[in-house]
mmCIF file of all heavy atoms in Angstrom:
data_model
loop_
_atom_site.group_PDB
_atom_site.id
_atom_site.type_symbol
_atom_site.label_atom_id
_atom_site.label_comp_id
_atom_site.label_asym_id
_atom_site.label_seq_id
_atom_site.Cartn_x
_atom_site.Cartn_y
_atom_site.Cartn_z
ATOM 1 N N ALA A 1 4.542 -6.727 -0.784
ATOM 2 C CA ALA A 1 5.012 -7.503 -1.938
ATOM 3 C C ALA A 1 6.504 -7.240 -2.121
ATOM 4 O O ALA A 1 6.954 -6.098 -2.017
ATOM 5 C CB ALA A 1 4.254 -7.109 -3.194
ATOM 6 N N HIS A 2 7.257 -8.293 -2.360
ATOM 7 C CA HIS A 2 8.690 -8.146 -2.602
ATOM 8 C C HIS A 2 8.973 -7.928 -4.092
ATOM 9 O O HIS A 2 9.935 -7.262 -4.452
ATOM 10 C CB HIS A 2 9.434 -9.385 -2.107
ATOM 11 C CG HIS A 2 9.254 -9.640 -0.646
ATOM 12 N ND1 HIS A 2 8.213 -10.386 -0.143
ATOM 13 C CD2 HIS A 2 9.950 -9.198 0.429
ATOM 14 C CE1 HIS A 2 8.299 -10.424 1.174
ATOM 15 N NE2 HIS A 2 9.337 -9.710 1.546
ATOM 16 N N LEU A 3 8.103 -8.526 -4.933
ATOM 17 C CA LEU A 3 8.243 -8.388 -6.378
ATOM 18 C C LEU A 3 6.882 -8.083 -6.989
ATOM 19 O O LEU A 3 5.885 -8.729 -6.651
ATOM 20 C CB LEU A 3 8.806 -9.680 -6.994
ATOM 21 C CG LEU A 3 8.746 -9.816 -8.518
ATOM 22 C CD1 LEU A 3 9.513 -8.698 -9.203
ATOM 23 C CD2 LEU A 3 9.265 -11.178 -8.948
ATOM 24 N N LEU A 4 6.853 -7.101 -7.885
ATOM 25 C CA LEU A 4 5.635 -6.719 -8.596
ATOM 26 C C LEU A 4 5.824 -7.030 -10.076
ATOM 27 O O LEU A 4 6.787 -6.574 -10.687
ATOM 28 C CB LEU A 4 5.375 -5.226 -8.399
ATOM 29 C CG LEU A 4 4.111 -4.638 -9.026
ATOM 30 C CD1 LEU A 4 2.881 -5.103 -8.261
ATOM 31 C CD2 LEU A 4 4.185 -3.114 -9.032
ATOM 32 N N VAL A 5 4.921 -7.823 -10.635
ATOM 33 C CA VAL A 5 4.907 -8.102 -12.069
ATOM 34 C C VAL A 5 3.659 -7.425 -12.619
ATOM 35 O O VAL A 5 2.538 -7.846 -12.327
ATOM 36 C CB VAL A 5 4.867 -9.616 -12.360
ATOM 37 C CG1 VAL A 5 4.888 -9.863 -13.868
ATOM 38 C CG2 VAL A 5 6.032 -10.327 -11.684
ATOM 39 N N THR A 6 3.827 -6.355 -13.390
ATOM 40 C CA THR A 6 2.669 -5.563 -13.794
ATOM 41 C C THR A 6 2.623 -5.283 -15.294
ATOM 42 O O THR A 6 3.658 -5.047 -15.925
ATOM 43 C CB THR A 6 2.632 -4.224 -13.030
ATOM 44 O OG1 THR A 6 1.488 -3.460 -13.443
ATOM 45 C CG2 THR A 6 3.883 -3.404 -13.270
ATOM 46 N N ASP A 7 1.402 -5.318 -15.822
ATOM 47 C CA ASP A 7 1.177 -4.887 -17.197
ATOM 48 C C ASP A 7 1.385 -3.373 -17.250
ATOM 49 O O ASP A 7 1.193 -2.669 -16.250
ATOM 50 C CB ASP A 7 -0.255 -5.242 -17.618
ATOM 51 C CG ASP A 7 -0.470 -5.037 -19.115
ATOM 52 O OD1 ASP A 7 0.520 -4.872 -19.837
ATOM 53 O OD2 ASP A 7 -1.644 -5.028 -19.531
ATOM 54 N N ILE A 8 1.775 -2.862 -18.405
ATOM 55 C CA ILE A 8 2.055 -1.438 -18.499
ATOM 56 C C ILE A 8 0.809 -0.631 -18.857
ATOM 57 O O ILE A 8 0.677 0.532 -18.460
ATOM 58 C CB ILE A 8 3.184 -1.195 -19.527
ATOM 59 C CG1 ILE A 8 3.901 0.115 -19.227
ATOM 60 C CG2 ILE A 8 2.659 -1.236 -20.950
ATOM 61 C CD1 ILE A 8 5.236 0.257 -19.909
ATOM 62 N N ARG A 9 -0.127 -1.246 -19.607
ATOM 63 C CA ARG A 9 -1.334 -0.536 -20.016
ATOM 64 C C ARG A 9 -2.547 -1.126 -19.309
ATOM 65 O O ARG A 9 -2.954 -2.265 -19.576
ATOM 66 C CB ARG A 9 -1.527 -0.641 -21.525
ATOM 67 C CG ARG A 9 -0.607 0.258 -22.326
ATOM 68 C CD ARG A 9 -1.007 0.240 -23.794
ATOM 69 N NE ARG A 9 -0.252 1.224 -24.571
ATOM 70 C CZ ARG A 9 -0.430 1.436 -25.861
ATOM 71 N NH1 ARG A 9 -1.362 0.735 -26.512
ATOM 72 N NH2 ARG A 9 0.273 2.337 -26.505
ATOM 73 N N MET A 10 -3.113 -0.344 -18.385
ATOM 74 C CA MET A 10 -4.314 -0.754 -17.667
ATOM 75 C C MET A 10 -5.195 0.474 -17.462
ATOM 76 O O MET A 10 -4.688 1.602 -17.401
ATOM 77 C CB MET A 10 -3.950 -1.373 -16.311
ATOM 78 C CG MET A 10 -3.182 -2.670 -16.388
ATOM 79 S SD MET A 10 -2.837 -3.380 -14.754
ATOM 80 C CE MET A 10 -1.629 -2.169 -14.126
ATOM 81 N N PRO A 11 -6.516 0.292 -17.343
ATOM 82 C CA PRO A 11 -7.410 1.437 -17.104
ATOM 83 C C PRO A 11 -7.101 2.109 -15.758
ATOM 84 O O PRO A 11 -6.606 1.465 -14.840
ATOM 85 C CB PRO A 11 -8.803 0.794 -17.075
ATOM 86 C CG PRO A 11 -8.643 -0.518 -17.769
ATOM 87 C CD PRO A 11 -7.248 -0.967 -17.480
ATOM 88 N N GLU A 12 -7.378 3.391 -15.666
ATOM 89 C CA GLU A 12 -7.249 4.199 -14.438
ATOM 90 C C GLU A 12 -5.798 4.365 -13.988
ATOM 91 O O GLU A 12 -5.240 5.450 -14.063
ATOM 92 C CB GLU A 12 -8.105 3.617 -13.307
ATOM 93 C CG GLU A 12 -9.601 3.624 -13.587
ATOM 94 C CD GLU A 12 -10.384 3.129 -12.410
ATOM 95 O OE1 GLU A 12 -10.605 3.912 -11.457
ATOM 96 O OE2 GLU A 12 -10.790 1.949 -12.435
ATOM 97 N N VAL A 13 -5.187 3.299 -13.504
ATOM 98 C CA VAL A 13 -3.793 3.366 -13.042
ATOM 99 C C VAL A 13 -2.971 2.359 -13.836
ATOM 100 O O VAL A 13 -3.104 1.146 -13.656
ATOM 101 C CB VAL A 13 -3.681 3.059 -11.533
ATOM 102 C CG1 VAL A 13 -2.208 3.067 -11.100
ATOM 103 C CG2 VAL A 13 -4.474 4.075 -10.718
ATOM 104 N N GLY A 14 -2.136 2.864 -14.739
ATOM 105 C CA GLY A 14 -1.287 1.996 -15.543
ATOM 106 C C GLY A 14 -0.079 1.514 -14.765
ATOM 107 O O GLY A 14 0.174 1.931 -13.623
ATOM 108 N N GLY A 15 0.696 0.619 -15.400
ATOM 109 C CA GLY A 15 1.839 0.027 -14.724
ATOM 110 C C GLY A 15 2.893 1.020 -14.279
ATOM 111 O O GLY A 15 3.397 0.952 -13.156
ATOM 112 N N LEU A 16 3.241 1.985 -15.137
ATOM 113 C CA LEU A 16 4.271 2.956 -14.779
ATOM 114 C C LEU A 16 3.800 3.897 -13.679
ATOM 115 O O LEU A 16 4.571 4.271 -12.791
ATOM 116 C CB LEU A 16 4.703 3.750 -16.011
ATOM 117 C CG LEU A 16 5.417 2.942 -17.101
ATOM 118 C CD1 LEU A 16 5.870 3.853 -18.218
ATOM 119 C CD2 LEU A 16 6.589 2.165 -16.524
ATOM 120 N N GLU A 17 2.519 4.290 -13.732
ATOM 121 C CA GLU A 17 1.988 5.132 -12.658
ATOM 122 C C GLU A 17 1.984 4.353 -11.341
ATOM 123 O O GLU A 17 2.282 4.915 -10.279
ATOM 124 C CB GLU A 17 0.572 5.596 -12.980
ATOM 125 C CG GLU A 17 0.001 6.550 -11.929
ATOM 126 C CD GLU A 17 -1.416 7.005 -12.222
ATOM 127 O OE1 GLU A 17 -1.898 6.759 -13.346
ATOM 128 O OE2 GLU A 17 -2.035 7.610 -11.314
ATOM 129 N N LEU A 18 1.671 3.078 -11.412
ATOM 130 C CA LEU A 18 1.692 2.231 -10.221
ATOM 131 C C LEU A 18 3.097 2.191 -9.623
ATOM 132 O O LEU A 18 3.276 2.341 -8.415
ATOM 133 C CB LEU A 18 1.233 0.813 -10.594
ATOM 134 C CG LEU A 18 1.255 -0.247 -9.486
ATOM 135 C CD1 LEU A 18 0.361 0.153 -8.330
ATOM 136 C CD2 LEU A 18 0.835 -1.603 -10.056
ATOM 137 N N VAL A 19 4.097 2.012 -10.477
ATOM 138 C CA VAL A 19 5.489 1.974 -10.014
ATOM 139 C C VAL A 19 5.879 3.302 -9.371
ATOM 140 O O VAL A 19 6.530 3.345 -8.322
ATOM 141 C CB VAL A 19 6.447 1.649 -11.173
ATOM 142 C CG1 VAL A 19 7.901 1.736 -10.719
ATOM 143 C CG2 VAL A 19 6.155 0.258 -11.723
ATOM 144 N N GLU A 20 5.471 4.419 -9.984
ATOM 145 C CA GLU A 20 5.785 5.739 -9.432
ATOM 146 C C GLU A 20 5.162 5.924 -8.050
ATOM 147 O O GLU A 20 5.794 6.452 -7.146
ATOM 148 C CB GLU A 20 5.304 6.831 -10.380
ATOM 149 C CG GLU A 20 6.162 6.987 -11.625
ATOM 150 C CD GLU A 20 5.727 8.157 -12.480
ATOM 151 O OE1 GLU A 20 4.658 8.067 -13.111
ATOM 152 O OE2 GLU A 20 6.458 9.166 -12.513
ATOM 153 N N ARG A 21 3.924 5.475 -7.893
ATOM 154 C CA ARG A 21 3.259 5.613 -6.596
ATOM 155 C C ARG A 21 3.924 4.760 -5.520
ATOM 156 O O ARG A 21 3.967 5.147 -4.355
ATOM 157 C CB ARG A 21 1.784 5.224 -6.722
ATOM 158 C CG ARG A 21 0.951 6.192 -7.553
ATOM 159 C CD ARG A 21 -0.516 5.983 -7.274
ATOM 160 N NE ARG A 21 -1.378 6.728 -8.180
ATOM 161 C CZ ARG A 21 -2.692 6.804 -8.044
ATOM 162 N NH1 ARG A 21 -3.298 6.150 -7.059
ATOM 163 N NH2 ARG A 21 -3.418 7.487 -8.902
ATOM 164 N N LEU A 22 4.452 3.622 -5.926
ATOM 165 C CA LEU A 22 5.081 2.722 -4.959
ATOM 166 C C LEU A 22 6.487 3.167 -4.568
ATOM 167 O O LEU A 22 7.058 2.646 -3.623
ATOM 168 C CB LEU A 22 5.141 1.303 -5.538
ATOM 169 C CG LEU A 22 3.800 0.610 -5.784
ATOM 170 C CD1 LEU A 22 4.014 -0.779 -6.340
ATOM 171 C CD2 LEU A 22 2.988 0.544 -4.497
ATOM 172 N N SER A 23 7.037 4.128 -5.309
ATOM 173 C CA SER A 23 8.408 4.577 -5.022
ATOM 174 C C SER A 23 8.528 5.208 -3.647
ATOM 175 O O SER A 23 9.630 5.313 -3.098
ATOM 176 C CB SER A 23 8.878 5.569 -6.087
ATOM 177 O OG SER A 23 8.077 6.747 -6.071
ATOM 178 N N ALA A 24 7.403 5.609 -3.058
ATOM 179 C CA ALA A 24 7.434 6.219 -1.725
ATOM 180 C C ALA A 24 7.602 5.171 -0.629
ATOM 181 O O ALA A 24 7.916 5.510 0.515
ATOM 182 C CB ALA A 24 6.150 7.011 -1.483
ATOM 183 N N MET A 25 7.388 3.905 -0.973
ATOM 184 C CA MET A 25 7.552 2.839 0.013
ATOM 185 C C MET A 25 9.034 2.667 0.344
ATOM 186 O O MET A 25 9.903 2.979 -0.452
ATOM 187 C CB MET A 25 6.981 1.526 -0.521
ATOM 188 C CG MET A 25 5.489 1.537 -0.781
ATOM 189 S SD MET A 25 4.889 0.011 -1.553
ATOM 190 C CE MET A 25 5.291 -1.188 -0.269
ATOM 191 N N SER A 26 9.313 2.168 1.551
ATOM 192 C CA SER A 26 10.702 2.014 1.970
ATOM 193 C C SER A 26 10.954 0.591 2.507
ATOM 194 O O SER A 26 10.609 0.302 3.651
ATOM 195 C CB SER A 26 11.047 3.052 3.033
ATOM 196 O OG SER A 26 12.395 2.939 3.430
ATOM 197 N N PRO A 27 11.626 -0.241 1.691
ATOM 198 C CA PRO A 27 11.939 -0.028 0.278
ATOM 199 C C PRO A 27 10.765 -0.459 -0.584
ATOM 200 O O PRO A 27 9.963 -1.293 -0.154
ATOM 201 C CB PRO A 27 13.142 -0.953 0.061
ATOM 202 C CG PRO A 27 12.896 -2.095 0.993
ATOM 203 C CD PRO A 27 12.217 -1.497 2.204
ATOM 204 N N PRO A 28 10.649 0.087 -1.796
ATOM 205 C CA PRO A 28 9.568 -0.344 -2.693
ATOM 206 C C PRO A 28 9.871 -1.741 -3.234
ATOM 207 O O PRO A 28 11.025 -2.173 -3.228
ATOM 208 C CB PRO A 28 9.608 0.696 -3.807
ATOM 209 C CG PRO A 28 11.022 1.155 -3.825
ATOM 210 C CD PRO A 28 11.492 1.113 -2.402
ATOM 211 N N PRO A 29 8.866 -2.470 -3.722
ATOM 212 C CA PRO A 29 9.141 -3.774 -4.323
ATOM 213 C C PRO A 29 9.919 -3.611 -5.617
ATOM 214 O O PRO A 29 9.838 -2.570 -6.266
ATOM 215 C CB PRO A 29 7.740 -4.346 -4.584
ATOM 216 C CG PRO A 29 6.855 -3.144 -4.686
ATOM 217 C CD PRO A 29 7.427 -2.129 -3.749
ATOM 218 N N VAL A 30 10.676 -4.622 -5.986
ATOM 219 C CA VAL A 30 11.313 -4.602 -7.296
ATOM 220 C C VAL A 30 10.224 -4.910 -8.325
ATOM 221 O O VAL A 30 9.202 -5.514 -7.996
ATOM 222 C CB VAL A 30 12.467 -5.625 -7.386
ATOM 223 C CG1 VAL A 30 13.623 -5.208 -6.501
ATOM 224 C CG2 VAL A 30 11.997 -7.022 -7.015
ATOM 225 N N VAL A 31 10.447 -4.481 -9.564
ATOM 226 C CA VAL A 31 9.355 -4.521 -10.545
ATOM 227 C C VAL A 31 9.797 -5.126 -11.869
ATOM 228 O O VAL A 31 10.891 -4.844 -12.371
ATOM 229 C CB VAL A 31 8.809 -3.096 -10.806
ATOM 230 C CG1 VAL A 31 7.669 -3.137 -11.830
ATOM 231 C CG2 VAL A 31 8.322 -2.449 -9.504
ATOM 232 N N ILE A 32 8.917 -5.961 -12.413
ATOM 233 C CA ILE A 32 9.022 -6.436 -13.788
ATOM 234 C C ILE A 32 7.811 -5.892 -14.536
ATOM 235 O O ILE A 32 6.682 -6.051 -14.080
ATOM 236 C CB ILE A 32 9.022 -7.973 -13.870
ATOM 237 C CG1 ILE A 32 10.277 -8.545 -13.206
ATOM 238 C CG2 ILE A 32 8.922 -8.446 -15.318
ATOM 239 C CD1 ILE A 32 10.256 -10.058 -13.075
ATOM 240 N N VAL A 33 8.035 -5.213 -15.654
ATOM 241 C CA VAL A 33 6.945 -4.661 -16.456
ATOM 242 C C VAL A 33 6.735 -5.528 -17.683
ATOM 243 O O VAL A 33 7.711 -5.956 -18.319
ATOM 244 C CB VAL A 33 7.267 -3.203 -16.871
ATOM 245 C CG1 VAL A 33 6.380 -2.766 -18.019
ATOM 246 C CG2 VAL A 33 7.077 -2.260 -15.685
ATOM 247 N N ILE A 34 5.474 -5.805 -18.021
ATOM 248 C CA ILE A 34 5.149 -6.552 -19.230
ATOM 249 C C ILE A 34 4.289 -5.681 -20.138
ATOM 250 O O ILE A 34 3.512 -4.860 -19.662
ATOM 251 C CB ILE A 34 4.432 -7.875 -18.907
ATOM 252 C CG1 ILE A 34 3.169 -7.632 -18.073
ATOM 253 C CG2 ILE A 34 5.362 -8.823 -18.173
ATOM 254 C CD1 ILE A 34 2.396 -8.885 -17.755
ATOM 255 N N SER A 35 4.451 -5.854 -21.430
ATOM 256 C CA SER A 35 3.729 -5.006 -22.377
ATOM 257 C C SER A 35 3.436 -5.766 -23.661
ATOM 258 O O SER A 35 4.215 -6.634 -24.079
ATOM 259 C CB SER A 35 4.553 -3.759 -22.692
ATOM 260 O OG SER A 35 3.932 -2.988 -23.706
ATOM 261 N N GLY A 36 2.310 -5.422 -24.269
ATOM 262 C CA GLY A 36 1.966 -6.021 -25.549
ATOM 263 C C GLY A 36 2.552 -5.271 -26.720
ATOM 264 O O GLY A 36 2.400 -5.674 -27.872
#
C-alpha cells in the first residue's frame, strides 16, 4: 500500500499501533489518521 487511511480506535490493533508496526517497512506507506 502506498497510502494508508486508518481509524485511530479499533479493537485489538488500533490505528497508531498499526502505524508503529508498519514503520519497519522500507519505505512504510504514508498515513492519514481519522478519529471520532
Side-chain angles (χ1 to χ4, degrees):
H2 300 88
L3 168 60
L4 182 72
V5 181
T6 180
D7 190 13
I8 205 164
R9 284 188 173 182
M10 294 182 291
E12 297 184 80
V13 177
L16 294 184
E17 184 181 349
L18 177 60
V19 175
E20 286 185 289
R21 292 198 189 187
L22 295 181
S23 63
M25 296 175 62
S26 181
V30 292
V31 180
I32 294 172
V33 163
I34 56 178
S35 174

